[in-house]
DNA sequence: AATGAGCGG
């Protein structure tokens, strides 16, 4: 360890230097046979007093960058239930985490800053591939474009029930499955596919209108009431400020049938409502 | 003028 190395590794010294101008003199004494390094520092305090600081450091013989005890432990033969198994983690039962090393450094050197916690998480998520359980695509299962068609297939495969149990459960909502897991009626084997039948719209695919110039005190229910005359309204959403929840003056109205949405668009676009004139367009599909 | 929230893994 060199003299200037010692100076920069002590954060306390760095702090002092900003206050006390006089440069401390440091003498390092190394004895080859001993495992101790001695430094003697002479410095002048702000009030003029001279002090001598003697520090002793133990030389550490490091085989690697890990704690010696940890390294030793890794050479132990396995014991207990793992007795006789080959060395190293068994990947079938053990997930090997990322080795995060805590590094302390003097000052706030942002140029060599470690990647932030957030970045590390993102990296980890990236390496932990998202695979759709239905079609094996790289999206979440709920985002699967084939959800409405493969969805039933999946729940049938997932089921550990015998056909007898499955049939018995279909009739009674209260019946528990053999796994004890509740399956809502809409997802039980043989249930009608979600949306308007097989291949029909899946939740986000309903015909949707964007309504703008909506007065600030218009509520979801008001729009539902306004649009219901054109057909079954699937959803009403009013754009709001995240914090204040105040309306941002636009809304989305989804119908179950495109023909109804079309009628609504024609009739409501340009219509006076609550002292404003509503504008209605087809919405662009939500995406991110 | 203006295009949505939040789940998961």
């Amino acid at each position: 360890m060199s003299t200037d190395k010692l100076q920069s590794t002590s954060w306390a010294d760095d702090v002092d230097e900003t206050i006390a101008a006089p440069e401390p003199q440091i003498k390092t004494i190394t004895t080859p046979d001993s495992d101790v390094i001695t430094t003697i520092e002479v410095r002048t305090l702000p009030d003029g007093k001279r002090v001598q600081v003697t520090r002793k450091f133990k030389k550490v013989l490091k085989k690697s960058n890990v704690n010696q005890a940890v390294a030793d432990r890794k050479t132990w033969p396995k014991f207990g239930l793992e007795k006789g198994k080959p060395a190293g983690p068994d990947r079938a039962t053990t997930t090997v985490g990322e080795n995060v090393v805590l590094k302390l450094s003097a000052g706030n050197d942002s140029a060599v800053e470690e990647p932030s916690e957030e970045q590390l998480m993102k990296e980890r998520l990236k390496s932990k591939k998202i695979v759709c359980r239905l079609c094996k695509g790289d999206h979440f299962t709920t985002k699967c474009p084939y959800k409405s068609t493969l969805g039933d297939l999946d729940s049938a495969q997932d089921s550990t029930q015998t056909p007898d149990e499955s049939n018995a459960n279909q009739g009674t909502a209260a019946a528990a499955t053999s796994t004890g897991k509740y399956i809502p009626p809409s997802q039980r084997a043989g249930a009608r596919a979600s949306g308007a039948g097989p291949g029909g719209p899946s939740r986000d695919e309903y015909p949707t209108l964007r309504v703008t110039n909506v007065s600030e005190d218009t509520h979801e229910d008001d729009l539902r009431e306004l649009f219901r005359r054109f057909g079954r309204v699937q959803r009403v959403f009013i754009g709001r400020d995240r914090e204040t929840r105040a309306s941002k003056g636009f809304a989305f109205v989804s119908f179950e049938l495109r023909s109804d949405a079309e009628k609504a668009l024609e009739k409501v676009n340009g219509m006076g409502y609550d002292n404003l004139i509503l504008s209605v367009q087809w919405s662009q599909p939500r995406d991110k």
Side-chain angles (χ1 to χ4, degrees):
Chain A
M1 219 182 236
S2 72
T3 304
D4 47 307
K5 192 79 181 176
L6 273 170
Q7 269 179 295
S8 63
T9 45
S10 171
W11 58 269
D13 284 353
D14 277 4
V15 171
D16 281 350
E17 273 161 26
T18 63
I19 306 161
E23 202 55 39
Q25 300 168 6
I26 300 180
K27 199 185 289 176
T28 308
I29 303 156
T30 337
T31 336
D33 292 337
S34 160
D35 61 348
V36 173
I37 302 170
T38 309
T39 67
I40 298 168
E41 178 187 330
V42 180
R43 62 162 73 199
T44 311
L45 297 178
D47 61 6
K49 278 183 185 164
R50 284 168 68 80
V51 292
Q52 179 177 305
V53 183
T54 306
R55 294 191 181 91
K56 292 193 176 187
F57 299 89
K58 200 169 183 182
K59 288 186 203 164
V60 181
L61 296 174
K62 274 189 172 178
K63 281 179 188 160
S64 66
N65 205 15
V66 298
N67 183 304
Q68 189 61 54
V70 175
D72 288 345
R73 207 151 54 223
K74 284 181 179 172
T75 67
W76 292 1
K78 292 198 174 178
F79 53 89
L81 292 174
E82 297 293 301
K83 198 176 200 164
K85 299 269 178 69
D90 178 359
R91 302 305 296 267
T93 55
T94 307
T95 304
V96 180
E98 205 178 323
N99 191 18
V100 178
V101 182
L102 172 65
K103 281 185 191 160
L104 297 177
S105 65
N108 182 13
D109 197 352
S110 52
V112 287
E113 192 83 354
E114 297 288 315
S116 73
E117 194 68 23
E118 200 181 345
Q119 285 170 314
L120 282 171
M121 276 309 285
K122 276 183 183 166
E123 276 308 306
R124 205 171 302 179
L125 284 174
K126 219 181 275 178
S127 61
K128 213 171 203 171
K129 269 279 162 49
I130 291 167
V131 176
C132 174
R133 284 190 284 252
L134 299 179
C135 76
K136 311 298 175 209
D138 64 346
H139 46 252
F140 281 112
T141 308
T142 46
K143 292 266 171 68
C144 181
Y146 310 111
K147 194 169 69 155
S148 57
T149 44
L150 293 177
D152 277 354
L153 229 161
D154 176 69
S155 61
Q157 282 172 345
D158 259 9
S159 171
T160 53
Q161 301 170 340
T162 67
D164 279 358
E165 284 169 328
S166 183
N167 286 337
N169 284 342
Q170 271 176 49
T172 49
T177 68
S178 57
T179 56
K181 193 165 118 191
Y182 175 75
I183 298 172
S186 61
Q187 287 175 29
R188 288 179 202 159
R192 207 178 114 252
S194 66
S202 86
R203 196 140 136 349
D204 271 358
E205 296 170 329
Y206 287 97
T208 300
L209 302 172
R210 182 198 53 164
V211 187
T212 55
N213 219 23
V214 180
S215 76
E216 205 169 290
D217 38 37
T218 301
H219 193 261
E220 279 84 347
D221 298 339
D222 302 327
L223 290 183
R224 200 173 270 278
E225 193 56 41
L226 171 64
F227 281 94
R228 61 175 293 170
R229 74 190 73 169
F230 304 102
R232 187 105 180 91
V233 174
Q234 199 269 337
R235 183 173 85 120
V236 174
F237 175 93
I238 290 186
R240 297 181 182 282
D241 182 280
R242 277 272 216 135
E243 280 87 44
T244 69
R245 307 304 302 155
S247 167
K248 291 200 277 193
F250 68 89
F252 293 97
V253 179
S254 306
F255 284 85
E256 291 195 349
L257 299 175
R258 185 170 186 88
S259 53
D260 290 340
E262 226 162 60
K263 278 189 288 175
L265 191 154
E266 276 172 35
K267 299 286 184 187
V268 180
N269 187 27
M271 169 186 172
Y273 186 80
D274 204 17
N275 297 327
L276 292 175
I277 293 173
L278 294 178
S279 169
V280 184
Q281 321 290 157
W282 286 109
S283 82
Q284 292 303 119
R286 170 176 39 189
D287 225 336
K288 204 144 277 177

